[in-house]
């Protein structure tokens, strides 16, 4: 399944990624961990089942912290992003509490070891995420 992700960076348009896993595991408005060039970043799922024919990278992880933005709030974030010419991901990040916004509290299990988000390498996570997105 292809999904459109609005990154938590100042990139206006969302990027398309492949989600490897059950469709019910991922919801619109949920945060995810994705690769961008040679680093990891977070973003927000804006659309599911996107039509796209180019090359895509996979969603590496799903951040399951209990917060999922609902449809009216996603619409508001898109409108604000258009108004201020920024990404909807930045607008959505501003709605998070500092504790949830921080990637310092995100951990993932890599080969039996708990790894902090900032210490995880793209090379270590890519093979693990081929079967299914990792829980953060």
């Amino acid at each position: 399944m292809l999904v459109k992700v609005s990154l938590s960076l100042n990139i206006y348009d969302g990027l398309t990624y492949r989600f490897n896993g059950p469709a019910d595991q991922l919801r619109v408005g949920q945060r995810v961990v994705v690769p961008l060039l040679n680093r990891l970043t977070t973003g927000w799922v804006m659309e599911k089942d996107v039509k796209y024919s180019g090359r895509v990278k996979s969603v590496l992880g799903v951040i399951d912290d209990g917060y999922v933005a609902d449809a009216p709030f996603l619409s508001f974030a898109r409108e604000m992003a258009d108004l201020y010419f920024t990404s909807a991901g930045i607008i959505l990040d501003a709605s998070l509490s500092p504790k949830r916004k921080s990637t310092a509290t995100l951990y993932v299990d890599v080969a039996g070891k708990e790894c902090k988000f900032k210490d995880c390498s793209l090379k270590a996570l890519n093979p693990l995420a081929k079967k299914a997105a990792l829980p953060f």
Side-chain angles (χ1 to χ4, degrees), residues 1 17 25 36 42 45 50 56 72 80 92 98 107 119 126 128 135:
M1 168 177 58
Y17 289 89
Q25 184 184 1
L36 180 66
T42 59
V45 177
V50 176
V56 294
M80 290 297 103
L92 290 165
Y107 292 88
D119 297 333
N126 257 338
L128 296 173

Side-chain angles (χ1 to χ4, degrees), residues 37-131:
L37 297 176
N38 60 351
R39 67 182 186 151
L40 298 173
T41 188
T42 59
W44 296 79
V45 177
M46 301 304 282
E47 296 176 42
K48 288 171 68 172
D49 298 320
V50 176
K51 303 288 188 240
Y52 184 75
S53 61
R55 289 180 26 191
V56 294
K57 293 185 177 183
S58 295
V59 171
L60 297 177
V62 177
I63 300 173
D64 192 15
D65 62 357
Y67 180 75
V68 178
D70 59 4
F73 193 65
L74 288 174
S75 176
F76 167 77
R78 283 187 191 108
E79 289 176 21
M80 290 297 103
D82 287 343
L83 183 65
Y84 293 105
F85 202 69
T86 188
S87 82
I90 288 179
I91 304 293
L92 290 165
D93 275 354
S95 71
L96 292 173
S97 67
K99 184 178 180 182
R100 280 196 174 146
K101 191 183 309 185
S102 172
T103 57
T105 59
L106 295 178
Y107 292 88
V108 66
D109 185 15
V110 177
K113 288 184 164 182
E114 203 170 66
C115 179
K116 284 186 176 181
F117 174 81
K118 66 177 185 165
D119 297 333
C120 293
S121 73
L122 189 55
K123 286 184 180 181
L125 292 181
N126 257 338
L128 296 173
K130 292 258 187 231
K131 297 175 187 161

